[in-house]
Amino acid sequence: MRGNTRRRIPGRLEHAKIRTGLRWKLSAAIALVGALIAVALSLVVHNAARVSMLDNARDLADSRLVYAQPLYERPGHRPTSTIIKLDDPMLPPALQQKVREGRRATYVSDHRGGVPDIWAAMPIKGGHVLSVHTHFTDRSANILRDLDQALVIGSIAVVLGGSALGVLIGAQLSRRLRKAATAANQVANGEPDIRVRDAIGGVVRDETDDLARAVDAMADALQQRLEAERRVTADIAHELRTPVTGLLTAAELLPPGRPTELVLDRAKAMRTLVEDVLEVARLDGASERAELQDLMLGEFVARRVAAKDPDVEVRVVHESMVTTDPRRLERVLFNLITNASRHGRPPIQVTVEGRVIRVRDHGPGFPEALLAEGPSRFRTGSADRAGRGHGLGLTIAAGQARVLGARLTFRNVRPAGAPEHVPAEGAVAVLWLPEHAPTSTGSYPTLPE
């Protein structure tokens, strides 16, 4: 049960994470970069325009000061002006310091209303100070305000345009990645003819194509390796069939007794193992074909189970006509019952409801590894089952179910509302037969002639 807890904790954390699409991430990134660039450029342009206007205003004040100097230095002539003053007491101290040094200078100071004041001053004859005091013109302020408004509108347009572009680019990339993921899942589910590069399509060549080619190359390499292993397994099992058959025949000729029974038992077990390995190899090769027949499912299951094991309880809830391969269906059913008898506890119950067959026992339940990963060959699921099977029964049942286009699921039975640490009260294997044949699950059933 500890293993089950470890698997569920990451699952909860995974559900707690925020899932966002690539298009929105890319759009947000482009919008953020666009906003930062727009703000930076707006500040630069605003400051450059303000500095330029202030420089023009200072040059204008300086020109007026130079123009007024001869007039104020003329003896007996004192023109009056609202902006040109002589010995102005409001002259900024910094500007006064430059005038005392005998320099003509300009100065900008902040006004209470936020409009800067423009000052210009110079020393003239008689020890006087001639100065010019103006404000930032309304026209310049309006120009600067219009410029700021244009910069804000332009920044918003840049952010919106960048976001739209990010959505378009991200949508295309996300679509290609989703197609690649779908194709990769199809390959993982046993469809070897699917290729990721063909699935994503498109004319543009980018990193997605490189990823698709890498996945296709990996799938080809894995398929070749699995095919080589399958051929080796099939060849070994085929080569073992003849000597095992001869060994079984020779054992049957031995005189009756306990040693003969032991030899016959082990020889039969070895023959069963060889036949199972050959069957698994054929199923892995995807060369098996279903020979379809119409039959009443409930009647078929009841008759075959009664002949196999009369102690198994069969209950037909709802009868149904199905089109399937009787031999393969019987193989799946018998393997599930054998597994329940071997690893579970009685009573074993088989229920037929429409196209669904359920096989239940009242034992400790399926191992957690089987529930999480499905049947695995040569693995019985727990150490206490050593010597009681070779792990091929459920593997063959799952393979034959795929040939039939059916779906085989496994689960444990627990009391309603019971926590995970409560022991299971039994195991249930459920076979879901398809409604129509042939199916699109990878099998190619053919009707008998």
Side-chain angles (χ1 to χ4, degrees):
M1 303 307 295
R2 291 194 298 270
N4 187 42
T5 303
R6 283 195 296 268
R7 280 191 294 273
R8 288 182 177 274
I9 290 177
R12 294 193 185 100
L13 295 178
E14 183 68 24
H15 288 300
K17 294 180 181 178
I18 298 176
R19 179 179 175 86
T20 56
L22 182 62
R23 67 173 71 180
W24 303 116
K25 292 180 181 178
L26 188 58
S27 176
I30 293 178
L32 180 60
V33 173
L36 293 176
I37 294 176
V39 170
L41 289 178
S42 298
L43 293 176
V44 170
V45 172
H46 173 84
N47 290 332
R50 187 174 185 275
V51 169
S52 178
M53 291 180 181
L54 289 177
D55 288 341
N56 292 334
R58 294 171 73 169
D59 291 341
L60 179 60
D62 186 68
S63 300
R64 288 176 175 176
L65 190 65
V66 172
Y67 177 77
Q69 179 185 2
L71 299 178
Y72 278 82
E73 289 181 344
R74 187 179 303 171
H77 184 72
R78 292 291 184 271
T80 60
S81 174
T82 57
I83 61 175
I84 301 177
K85 297 181 180 180
L86 191 65
D87 297 329
D88 187 358
M90 302 299 295
L91 200 65
L95 189 57
Q96 293 179 9
Q97 178 64 32
K98 294 181 180 180
V99 172
R100 282 195 294 267
E101 295 175 359
R103 298 167 55 189
R104 187 176 83 243
T106 59
Y107 184 78
V108 178
S109 63
D110 293 330
H111 194 266
R112 291 181 181 178
V115 180
D117 290 339
I118 311 299
W119 297 84
M122 63 177 297
I124 60 175
K125 294 178 181 180
H128 297 287
V129 176
L130 185 65
S131 63
V132 175
H133 180 204
T134 62
H135 299 289
F136 205 55
T137 63
D138 293 339
R139 180 173 179 273
S140 299
N142 291 334
I143 292 175
L144 195 60
R145 190 180 303 109
D146 294 340
L147 178 62
D148 291 341
Q149 184 177 1
L151 290 175
V152 170
I153 295 175
S155 300
I156 295 176
V158 168
V159 172
L160 294 179
S163 300
L165 181 62
V167 170
L168 293 177
I169 297 176
Q172 181 181 6
L173 183 58
S174 178
R175 190 183 308 112
R176 289 165 64 85
L177 290 176
R178 283 198 301 269
K179 290 181 178 178
T182 301
N185 287 330
Q186 290 176 339
V187 174
N189 290 332
E191 300 183 26
D193 296 332
I194 300 296
R195 287 296 173 265
V196 179
R197 180 64 190 85
D198 298 334
I200 62 176
V203 181
V204 179
R205 297 293 182 265
D206 53 15
E207 288 78 3
T208 310
D209 294 86
D210 299 335
L211 175 63
R213 291 190 182 93
V215 173
D216 290 341
M218 179 182 65
D220 291 336
L222 290 176
Q223 185 176 354
Q224 292 175 3
R225 181 173 180 178
L226 292 175
E227 180 62 23
E229 293 179 356
R230 187 193 65 81
R231 286 198 301 267
V232 170
T233 303
D235 292 343
I236 293 175
H238 184 74
E239 293 297 327
L240 286 174
R241 173 187 276 179
T242 300
V244 168
T245 302
L247 176 63
L248 183 60
T249 303
E252 292 176 347
L253 299 177
L254 295 175
R258 182 59 180 168
T260 301
E261 293 178 359
L262 294 176
V263 172
L264 281 174
D265 179 69
R266 291 298 88 194
K268 291 179 180 179
M270 184 176 294
R271 183 180 64 178
T272 301
L273 175 59
V274 171
E275 295 296 335
D276 288 347
V277 171
L278 281 174
E279 186 172 358
V280 169
R282 290 194 299 268
L283 292 173
D284 287 344
S287 59
E288 294 292 284
R289 301 294 183 267
E291 298 180 358
L292 302 177
Q293 296 181 14
D294 293 334
L295 53 87
M296 302 300 294
L297 185 60
E299 178 186 353
F300 174 83
V301 171
R303 187 174 64 254
R304 297 302 172 90
V305 172
K308 171 70 174 178
D309 189 350
D311 295 333
V312 176
E313 177 187 348
V314 179
R315 185 165 65 97
V316 180
V317 178
H318 176 65
E319 183 65 276
S320 176
M321 173 72 73
V322 297
T323 303
T324 187
D325 188 330
R327 181 181 63 85
R328 298 183 188 277
L329 178 60
E330 180 183 282
R331 178 69 160 151
V332 175
L333 182 62
F334 285 180
N335 279 18
L336 295 179
I337 294 175
T338 301
N339 182 81
S341 301
R342 180 176 297 167
H343 301 303
R345 286 194 295 267
I348 299 174
Q349 301 168 336
V350 178
T351 305
V352 180
E353 186 174 357
R355 298 177 179 274
V356 181
I357 302 175
R358 293 179 175 86
V359 178
R360 179 186 176 180
D361 62 63
H362 292 73
F366 290 116
E368 296 296 333
L370 185 143
L371 297 178
E373 304 171 7
S376 179
R377 65 197 64 176
F378 300 110
R379 185 175 68 181
T380 58
S382 97
D384 60 352
R385 295 180 176 181
R388 300 180 61 191
H390 44 70
L392 292 179
L394 293 182
T395 303
I396 293 174
Q400 294 290 7
R402 284 194 299 270
V403 176
L404 296 175
R407 183 164 58 98
L408 183 60
T409 61
F410 306 93
R411 66 180 179 89
N412 290 334
V413 180
R414 286 186 173 87
E420 293 294 333
H421 65 273
V422 175
E425 295 181 345
V428 179
V430 185
L431 180 67
W432 311 73
L433 292 175
E435 183 176 359
H436 303 287
T439 68
S440 58
T441 59
S443 62
Y444 300 90
T446 57
L447 290 171
E449 297 181 0

